[in-house]
Amino acid sequence: MAYAKARIAILISGRGSNMVALVDAVTGGRIPGAEVAIVISDQAQAAGLESARQRGIESVVIQRGGRTREDHDREIVAELKRRNVDLVCLAGYMRILSQVFLDSYRGRILNIHPSLLPAFPGLNPQKQALDQGAQTAGCTVHFVDETLDGGPIIAQRRVPILPEDTVESLSARILEQEHLLYPEAVSLVLREAQSSSAAQT
Ligand code: GRF
């Protein structure tokens, strides 16, 4: 991965606050050598689409619409290729990727998950953490592979769980850290890609 400017695609399904954190970090120069090429949502009603529009970021909606997961992913991958996307950031994208997608962007797909993986993969990790009586929680950015939230970990941030916490209060505390962690992790991945390509030249 050696680019003049790495072209990032951000995939969302809903609120899009992590997408906004990434866009704002790129705009603010906190992810050097990157640009956001496109935001893709699989949901036409995703609130994040409006946030992207307000920031002048192009977005497209690619709904599954009764197709197989593979056919849906083929259309997304075609869109990514058309826009010369180098790195894909899943940000609250609520679909499992098919082999078609994974094979096309292997090692270049990142996800953020609101737990300290490998603890609490899957749905509602904040509730899982509270139900299990965990004392700390956090968030993880990892590479996406065939496993559920199980790909190689890039970076994590930790938060305390307080006795009075609800799912909402804990989720809000974690989300604040997600918005810091995701740009840091993307910068790290791009920096390593640049330095490994420099070492080869
Ligand atoms: C975040 O908690 C993220 O970790 C998880 O889904 C949530 C998405 O929130 N994968 P947002 O759409 O980025 O606001």
Side-chain angles (χ1 to χ4, degrees):
M1 278 200 291
Y3 319 108
K5 250 192 178 184
R7 290 175 60 76
I8 299 176
I10 308 173
L11 270 58
I12 64 170
S13 296
R15 182 177 55 186
S17 70
N18 278 288
M19 175 273 293
V20 165
L22 287 172
V23 167
D24 290 352
V26 167
T27 311
R30 282 174 286 123
I31 309 182
E35 62 188 324
V36 178
I38 187 74
V39 168
I40 298 178
S41 172
D42 67 321
Q43 301 293 327
Q45 310 81 349
L49 289 167
E50 175 59 18
S51 312
R53 199 192 59 74
Q54 285 167 358
R55 286 165 172 75
I57 303 292
E58 225 185 309
S59 60
V60 290
V61 174
I62 305 179
Q63 287 172 297
R64 179 155 170 192
R67 289 177 288 179
T68 63
R69 193 192 302 277
E70 284 74 17
D71 282 349
H72 182 216
D73 280 357
R74 266 185 208 103
E75 187 182 345
I76 295 174
V77 168
E79 186 69 40
L80 297 173
K81 301 272 182 201
R82 195 160 39 241
R83 292 172 188 270
N84 297 317
V85 165
D86 303 302
L87 188 73
V88 178
C89 295
L90 307 184
Y93 183 66
M94 297 303 287
R95 293 207 178 272
I96 306 242
L97 304 192
S98 68
Q99 206 63 47
V100 170
F101 202 148
L102 293 171
D103 288 345
S104 305
Y105 275 90
R106 184 155 307 272
R108 295 189 292 153
I109 310 172
L110 275 49
N111 182 43
I112 186 155
H113 183 78
S115 80
L116 293 172
L117 291 171
F120 312 127
L123 290 176
N124 303 318
Q126 302 93 335
K127 179 169 188 313
Q128 292 186 53
L130 288 174
D131 288 350
Q132 302 253 331
Q135 303 210 329
T136 46
C139 47
T140 304
V141 175
H142 63 95
F143 287 107
V144 175
D145 63 13
E146 282 77 5
T147 60
L148 177 66
D149 300 323
I153 290 172
I154 299 162
Q156 296 185 305
R157 275 179 174 247
R158 188 174 289 273
V159 302
I161 296 183
L162 306 178
E164 65 274 19
D165 264 334
T166 60
V167 171
E168 289 69 31
S169 64
L170 178 59
S171 301
R173 189 175 311 119
I174 295 172
L175 191 65
E176 219 172 281
Q177 297 304 312
E178 291 185 45
H179 295 163
L180 301 172
L181 181 70
Y182 215 166
E184 286 171 3
V186 171
S187 297
L188 185 68
V189 166
L190 294 179
R191 229 175 20 245
E192 294 206 337
Q194 296 290 5
S195 63
S196 69
S197 81
Q200 284 162 19
T201 54

